Amino acid sequence: MPEQSTVNKATSITVPSPFGPLSISESEGHIVALDWHGAENNHSSPLLEEAKAQMADYFSGKLKKFDLPLAPGGNQFQREVCNAMLKIPYGETCTYGDIAKLLDTYGQPVGRACGGNTIPIIIPCHRVLASRGLGGYSGEGGVERKIALLKHEGGYPYLL
């Protein structure tokens, strides 16, 4: 994973989803962002077409784990949190505290790093819960979107 990504040089493509159009951005051969709106300027590439196909498979229930080169934004700690989130299996959850223990830190900075995830869904921040509830979700639609993604993955028993 590159040291730091910049979305400024990125090309983007619009991807349909059950939540409306999303945009996926690529820079220097890595996915760097997923945003909750369509791309302003669609400029495809083989990587973006692959990401679009994998998103379609994810939303149809065929894909359980994305296989894309990723370069999330943020500092080193934020990227470490993203790497930890990538290890959470489809349909399962963990807590901010679980990730904090892995990284020898506290839950609050982990929560902030989850909230700053530049590649939601693909890097599954929706699978990270508070120790006593859902926690937040910085994506469009807030906690309702988090619940919808967990239900999509069959993770809804964790919500009861």
Side-chain angles (χ1 to χ4, degrees):
M1 185 178 314
E3 190 62 27
Q4 180 69 33
S5 303
T6 57
V7 180
N8 303 0
K9 303 176 198 172
T11 57
S12 300
I13 189 171
T14 298
V15 176
S17 85
F19 310 113
L22 304 173
S23 66
I24 298 180
S25 301
E26 168 196 358
S27 181
E28 300 178 6
H30 292 83
I31 301 299
V32 295
L34 184 146
D35 293 301
W36 301 97
H37 54 77
E40 290 181 22
N41 298 304
N42 279 301
H43 297 288
S44 192
S45 70
L47 176 56
L48 289 174
E49 289 299 325
E50 178 60 26
K52 185 176 183 177
Q54 287 189 32
M55 289 296 288
D57 286 347
Y58 170 79
F59 286 120
S60 73
K62 295 177 192 171
L63 182 79
K64 307 292 186 221
K65 183 173 175 137
F66 291 95
D67 184 19
L68 298 165
L70 306 175
N75 61 32
Q76 180 64 33
F77 175 73
Q78 290 168 310
R79 290 190 302 273
E80 288 173 7
V81 171
C82 285
N83 285 333
M85 288 188 289
L86 284 167
K87 295 175 184 170
I88 306 167
Y90 180 95
E92 296 185 24
T93 61
C94 73
T95 67
Y96 300 111
D98 293 334
I99 293 175
K101 286 177 192 170
L102 288 172
L103 301 178
D104 195 29
T105 189
Y106 300 95
Q108 191 172 37
V110 170
R112 281 194 303 272
C114 288
N117 176 13
T118 60
I119 316 173
I121 302 174
I122 296 171
I123 298 177
C125 50
H126 59 278
R127 296 179 191 157
V128 185
L129 308 177
S131 62
R132 295 184 185 174
L134 287 170
Y137 192 66
S138 62
E140 185 175 296
V143 174
E144 290 79 20
R145 180 69 37 88
K146 184 175 195 167
I147 291 168
L149 288 164
L150 289 170
K151 283 183 176 180
H152 168 73
E153 295 183 3
Y156 63 89
Y158 298 102
L159 303 176
L160 303 175

Short mmCIF file of all heavy atoms in Angstrom, two decimals, residues 8 41 67 74 76 82 85 96 105:
data_model
loop_
_atom_site.label_atom_id
_atom_site.label_comp_id
_atom_site.label_asym_id
_atom_site.label_seq_id
_atom_site.Cartn_x
_atom_site.Cartn_y
_atom_site.Cartn_z
N ASN A 8 -6.83 13.87 -5.41
CA ASN A 8 -6.77 14.94 -6.41
C ASN A 8 -6.46 14.40 -7.80
O ASN A 8 -6.98 14.90 -8.78
CB ASN A 8 -5.72 15.98 -6.03
CG ASN A 8 -5.97 16.58 -4.66
OD1 ASN A 8 -6.92 16.24 -3.97
ND2 ASN A 8 -5.12 17.49 -4.26
N ASN A 41 -17.24 13.26 -12.95
CA ASN A 41 -16.70 12.98 -14.28
C ASN A 41 -16.33 11.51 -14.33
O ASN A 41 -15.38 11.10 -13.69
CB ASN A 41 -15.44 13.83 -14.55
CG ASN A 41 -15.75 15.31 -14.53
OD1 ASN A 41 -16.62 15.77 -15.27
ND2 ASN A 41 -15.06 16.06 -13.70
N ASP A 67 -11.28 -7.95 -3.60
CA ASP A 67 -9.90 -8.21 -3.97
C ASP A 67 -9.45 -7.08 -4.90
O ASP A 67 -9.47 -7.21 -6.12
CB ASP A 67 -9.77 -9.57 -4.66
CG ASP A 67 -8.32 -9.92 -4.98
OD1 ASP A 67 -7.41 -9.32 -4.39
OD2 ASP A 67 -8.12 -10.77 -5.87
N GLY A 74 -5.32 9.19 4.92
CA GLY A 74 -5.09 9.31 6.36
C GLY A 74 -3.65 9.07 6.74
O GLY A 74 -2.79 8.75 5.91
N GLN A 76 -0.64 7.18 9.27
CA GLN A 76 -0.24 5.78 9.48
C GLN A 76 -1.21 5.04 10.40
O GLN A 76 -1.59 3.91 10.13
CB GLN A 76 1.19 5.71 10.05
CG GLN A 76 1.70 4.31 10.29
CD GLN A 76 1.82 3.49 9.00
OE1 GLN A 76 2.11 4.02 7.93
NE2 GLN A 76 1.59 2.18 9.09
N CYS A 82 -7.57 0.75 9.17
CA CYS A 82 -8.17 0.22 7.93
C CYS A 82 -7.71 -1.21 7.69
O CYS A 82 -8.53 -2.08 7.32
CB CYS A 82 -7.83 1.12 6.74
SG CYS A 82 -8.76 2.66 6.71
N MET A 85 -9.65 -3.44 9.94
CA MET A 85 -11.04 -3.61 9.50
C MET A 85 -11.13 -4.59 8.33
O MET A 85 -12.10 -5.35 8.22
CB MET A 85 -11.64 -2.26 9.09
CG MET A 85 -11.93 -1.36 10.27
SD MET A 85 -12.84 0.14 9.83
CE MET A 85 -11.61 1.09 8.94
N TYR A 96 -14.80 -1.36 18.54
CA TYR A 96 -13.69 -0.41 18.50
C TYR A 96 -12.63 -0.85 19.49
O TYR A 96 -11.43 -0.77 19.21
CB TYR A 96 -14.19 1.01 18.84
CG TYR A 96 -15.25 1.53 17.90
CD1 TYR A 96 -16.55 1.70 18.35
CD2 TYR A 96 -14.96 1.85 16.58
CE1 TYR A 96 -17.54 2.19 17.50
CE2 TYR A 96 -15.94 2.33 15.73
CZ TYR A 96 -17.23 2.50 16.20
OH TYR A 96 -18.20 2.97 15.35
N THR A 105 -3.93 0.69 21.69
CA THR A 105 -4.41 2.06 21.84
C THR A 105 -5.77 2.02 22.52
O THR A 105 -6.09 1.05 23.21
CB THR A 105 -4.46 2.79 20.48
OG1 THR A 105 -4.74 4.17 20.70
CG2 THR A 105 -5.45 2.17 19.52
#
